[in-house]
Amino acid sequence: MNTFDEIYAKIKEYPTIIIHRHISPDPDAIGSQAGLARAIKLAFPDKKVLCAGGDVGDLGWINTMDDVKDGDYQGALAITVDTADTPRVSDQRFKTADFVIKMDHHPNVDPYGVMNYVDENKPAASEIIADFILTEKLPLTAEVAYPIFAGIVGDTGRFMYPETSAHTFEIAAQLSKTGIDTNEICRNVSEVSLQEARLQNAVLNLMHVDPSGAAYATISQKQLKELGVTTEQANVTVSTPGRIKGIKAWNVFVELADGTYRVHYRSKGPVINQLAQNHNGGGHALASGAKAKDQAEVKQIFDELIAVTKQYRSDHD
Ligand code: AMP
């Protein structure tokens, strides 16, 4: 693994720096990308610093993307944030940059950067970016702190998930001292539209709970269409089953237009990322994603989830 100093030396060296994040972005993807870009721009006003990637959906309140031209990659440094593997990088032109640096907090299944800084014990890529900014003494203004705080709030579930540490709170305090409206950020991260809330409701109504504490719900294309909710917006339902006492691990299956399924895994203890890896996916120990080609694979995935949940209970109860 490379050091912050080595990464900073590369940033100093390149006149153009293009920052990428993952597809289907969440607040941590957009927040870590924007925070790093803004801090570099403030430290080096003469450099061209661009944020690349597809549609940001409802996250325009954190940041919007720049119009990045093919020619911008010539002699440029590309930095990816919050993105575990090459196919998940939003805008594959990052491969055409002169030099690639990966900064991430997922298990390092694909160290695709020429330099890689990966710390999977961090709850958010945004916390790594805050550490980088503070270590290398880049400017930490309110415009830098705002997206980083949003990323940390998003990926820690408002400081609830287990990787949240004393250091996370120390970073949050430093960000807060820049004068950002933390209340507004937390509200923006957690607010949903009425249609999204109705879909959350549907997930609770449809949820099947196994005696082991494993649970699942499937959202069909028909339901999405009826409620006027996109596949991306269906992400708001993923943490909903976790509010129920007794549920230890769960899947939310979202049917896609081609009849296959996007699979979400979440857990309060049983390790689920190895299960996700068996179905074209991956992620964190307690939050992963995968794909299922049909109902038979959906059933297999849930059977596997029941098995690890049972095992976890027999080890811990
Ligand atoms: P999601 O359920 O889509 O919110 O994803 C949860 C976590 O799993 C995120 O950290 C993703 O980066 C990761 N993840 C989701 N889908 C995939 C996939 N197909 N391959 C690898 N990692 C994934």
Side-chain angles (χ1 to χ4, degrees):
M1 175 149 109
N2 294 96
T3 63
F4 281 160
D5 285 353
E6 287 168 330
I7 292 172
Y8 188 56
K10 284 286 161 197
I11 289 172
K12 278 199 280 196
E13 186 183 322
Y14 280 88
T16 302
I17 298 152
I18 308 173
I19 306 180
H20 288 246
R21 41 74 189 176
H22 62 77
I23 51 174
S24 307
D26 53 16
D28 191 32
I30 302 296
S32 55
Q33 180 188 35
L36 181 59
R38 291 176 190 180
I40 296 173
K41 189 73 199 157
L42 284 170
F44 302 101
D46 295 337
K47 288 188 193 291
K48 194 176 200 180
V49 185
L50 300 168
C51 288
D55 185 18
V56 300
D58 292 339
L59 299 174
W61 61 274
I62 305 179
N63 198 32
T64 52
M65 297 299 101
D66 294 306
D67 180 16
V68 185
K69 309 265 188 274
D70 290 350
D72 289 325
Y73 287 90
Q74 254 173 32
L77 167 65
I79 305 177
T80 71
V81 291
D82 197 31
T83 312
D85 55 15
T86 313
R88 283 181 64 77
V89 178
S90 186
D91 197 335
Q92 291 283 311
R93 291 180 299 170
F94 81 101
K95 292 176 185 160
T96 65
D98 196 53
F99 197 92
V100 175
I101 298 177
K102 170 186 178 182
M103 299 179 81
D104 188 29
H105 74 128
H106 297 92
N108 198 8
V109 288
D110 180 6
Y112 56 82
V114 184
M115 285 186 180
N116 298 280
Y117 185 96
V118 177
D119 184 351
E120 62 175 286
N121 296 314
K122 291 287 181 186
S126 294
E127 187 177 308
I128 296 175
I129 297 305
D131 285 336
F132 177 73
I133 288 170
L134 293 169
T135 306
E136 300 302 337
K137 300 190 172 49
L138 295 174
L140 184 61
T141 62
E143 73 166 319
V144 174
Y146 189 97
I148 294 177
F149 194 88
I152 293 175
V153 166
D155 254 32
T156 60
R158 282 186 283 166
F159 304 102
M160 181 172 79
Y161 301 142
E163 292 88 357
T164 308
S165 67
H167 183 70
T168 312
F169 287 109
E170 280 162 6
I171 292 289
Q174 296 209 46
L175 299 171
S176 172
K177 282 180 195 161
T178 64
I180 53 172
D181 187 341
T182 55
N183 177 258
E184 176 188 281
I185 294 171
C186 290
R187 215 174 38 237
N188 281 344
V189 169
S190 55
E191 264 182 359
V192 294
S193 69
L194 184 58
Q195 286 90 337
E196 289 168 343
R198 288 191 169 132
L199 191 66
Q200 288 178 331
N201 202 23
V203 160
L204 290 176
N205 282 331
L206 292 165
M207 199 166 58
H208 169 81
V209 185
D210 183 77
S212 63
Y216 81 90
T218 304
I219 302 171
S220 66
Q221 276 288 309
K222 187 165 170 280
Q223 283 163 321
L224 290 175
K225 285 199 182 107
E226 273 168 11
L227 287 169
V229 175
T230 65
T231 316
E232 286 307 316
Q233 286 173 315
N235 287 344
V236 298
T237 64
V238 175
S239 54
T240 304
R243 286 167 39 212
I244 314 300
K245 277 184 192 162
I247 292 184
K248 285 277 177 213
W250 62 100
N251 287 130
V252 175
F253 300 101
V254 182
E255 189 189 10
L256 304 177
D258 64 0
T260 65
Y261 295 84
R262 179 159 171 194
V263 184
H264 301 278
Y265 290 83
R266 293 293 185 274
S267 170
K268 298 178 190 167
V271 172
I272 40 78
N273 54 350
Q274 279 141 12
L275 299 182
Q277 277 161 23
N278 294 336
H279 298 277
N280 287 313
H284 306 280
L286 304 182
S288 289
K291 294 167 189 159
K293 62 178 181 310
D294 53 22
Q295 285 279 0
E297 192 169 359
V298 162
K299 182 173 181 320
Q300 188 194 349
I301 286 172
F302 188 59
D303 286 345
E304 290 165 0
L305 189 71
I306 293 173
V308 296
T309 309
K310 275 189 184 153
Q311 185 60 48
Y312 180 84
R313 290 210 104 125
S314 75
D315 293 347
H316 290 83
D317 285 354

